Amino acid sequence: MSLLKFILVLFPALVFCQPNCSVYKDSLCEKACKIAVNAEQYQGHKYSQMDFDKAIKLCPNFDYAYREKSVPYLKRGDFITWKKIIDKAVEINPNDNLGYRGWCKYQFLRDYRGALTDLEALEKINKYNIGYSQNGDYHLKIVIALCYKSLGNRKKAISLIKTQLSIKDYTPQNYDFLHLGVLYLETGDVKEAIKSLKKELTIDDYLAETYYYLALAYKKENNLSLFKENLFKAQDFYKKGYVMKDNYTHPLDKIYLPQIENLLK
């Protein structure tokens, strides 16, 4: 495995680090921190939830305990309970929790307006770098763009993604150019779509989606040879499992095998 791939595998775990309990001068909060950090290791078990409650009782403004306590409810689909708990974490510490709540609204709830509210509020607090999604797949600026796309404002989405990609020290993530290419395709700019999708291949050549959307672009140009070539490539990659993946939800612009097979017919 290359160093880059190794970093990408580890990256999701680096988005939210466990707190350093030694920084708490209040002995009760330091104790609460240690309890919560230990409880996070068996998150989802009832005893873990009980320990988060102990931590919160010892240190009522310890936002980490609220956030981690909320996670099992999110994963089980109890979004009402999740929101009640995560809202408390955001209230205590918006800088560290708005991005997470906004991402979850986007990823799990498809609440694009709610996600925008959180992420744009975070932009006002942190003007330099609002961070990455919890799963490590996206910079949150790209998530903002995808929210605008999902709400029908594709031109703004394109502008936001291009702005993020133009930042000198920004490293494009695996799906950035894929989403940009699809946006261009949806707005009728086929040449820019092909340009962006080819750029995606230089970053990540392991997605059936990229070849599928390239095929659609070439079809619009009446280039049937490249249309078929890319579609067969998409089919081959899909059967090998080279596709957009998420452990919990359906990623935006993800495709499925019947879409490819219907075009091949």
Side-chain angles (χ1 to χ4, degrees):
M1 182 183 290
S2 69
L3 177 61
L4 176 59
K5 290 292 183 182
F6 180 70
I7 292 171
L8 289 174
V9 168
L10 285 182
F11 188 76
L14 301 177
V15 178
F16 277 119
C17 296
Q18 291 180 336
N20 178 5
C21 297
S22 65
V23 303
Y24 292 96
K25 296 180 181 179
D26 185 314
S27 60
L28 287 179
C29 286
E30 182 178 0
K31 183 178 179 181
C33 178
K34 291 177 180 178
I35 291 172
V37 167
N38 182 64
E40 193 270 337
Q41 297 177 44
Y42 52 102
Q43 191 180 69
H45 194 282
K46 70 174 183 177
Y47 293 112
S48 172
Q49 297 299 89
M50 291 168 65
D51 279 348
F52 287 133
D53 287 337
K54 289 178 186 177
I56 290 167
K57 187 174 181 179
L58 286 169
C59 186
N61 287 325
F62 187 37
D63 61 290
Y64 173 83
Y66 283 102
R67 188 178 71 228
E68 295 307 313
K69 180 185 175 182
S70 76
V71 172
Y73 296 105
L74 177 73
K75 291 180 178 179
R76 293 170 184 171
D78 185 352
F79 302 124
I80 294 175
T81 304
W82 167 77
K83 189 173 183 303
K84 287 179 181 178
I85 301 171
I86 195 61
D87 284 357
K88 184 64 178 177
V90 172
E91 178 187 333
I92 296 168
N93 186 351
N95 187 62
D96 286 353
N97 295 293
L98 272 171
Y100 170 71
R101 188 176 70 179
W103 163 251
C104 290
K105 286 179 179 179
Y106 168 85
Q107 181 192 22
F108 288 89
L109 302 178
R110 296 296 187 253
D111 177 10
Y112 303 116
R113 294 192 187 279
L116 275 179
T117 298
D118 281 351
L119 298 179
E120 290 179 340
L122 182 59
E123 283 184 304
K124 294 177 181 178
I125 298 172
N126 191 338
K127 299 183 184 298
Y128 299 103
N129 187 356
I130 61 174
Y132 290 80
S133 62
Q134 178 70 359
N135 64 3
D137 285 341
Y138 296 99
H139 192 281
L140 291 176
K141 290 275 192 178
I142 302 296
V143 177
I144 290 174
L146 297 179
C147 285
Y148 277 108
K149 168 184 170 164
S150 300
L151 292 169
N153 195 340
R154 289 181 172 83
K155 288 185 178 180
K156 184 160 186 174
I158 290 172
S159 176
L160 289 170
I161 293 177
K162 287 175 65 178
T163 298
Q164 183 62 27
L165 290 171
S166 70
I167 294 174
K168 183 179 178 181
D169 297 325
Y170 177 67
T171 300
Q173 302 301 294
N174 278 347
Y175 305 142
D176 290 1
F177 280 100
L178 170 63
H179 289 305
L180 183 60
V182 175
L183 278 162
Y184 278 126
L185 193 59
E186 291 172 342
T187 54
D189 194 337
V190 179
K191 292 190 182 301
E192 285 298 320
I194 292 173
K195 182 179 175 181
S196 295
L197 292 168
K198 284 185 173 181
K199 180 69 175 177
E200 174 69 27
L201 292 178
T202 68
I203 296 171
D204 183 7
D205 187 20
Y206 288 94
L207 290 175
E209 282 82 1
T210 310
Y211 289 101
Y212 173 81
Y213 289 113
L214 262 176
L216 294 184
Y218 284 122
K219 184 180 181 183
K220 286 183 178 292
E221 287 197 330
N222 293 315
N223 190 331
L224 295 184
S225 175
L226 287 177
F227 163 67
K228 290 181 180 179
E229 178 184 321
N230 282 280
L231 205 54
F232 280 119
K233 188 85 170 181
Q235 183 185 48
D236 179 53
F237 271 33
Y238 194 98
K239 289 181 178 180
K240 290 177 179 177
Y242 301 156
V243 293
M244 297 177 76
K245 295 177 181 177
D246 184 275
N247 290 331
Y248 300 103
T249 59
H250 172 104
L252 192 66
D253 295 328
K254 178 178 173 58
I255 63 165
Y256 289 96
L257 190 59
Q259 292 172 265
I260 301 171
E261 292 175 339
N262 287 338
L263 280 178
L264 285 173
K265 291 177 183 178

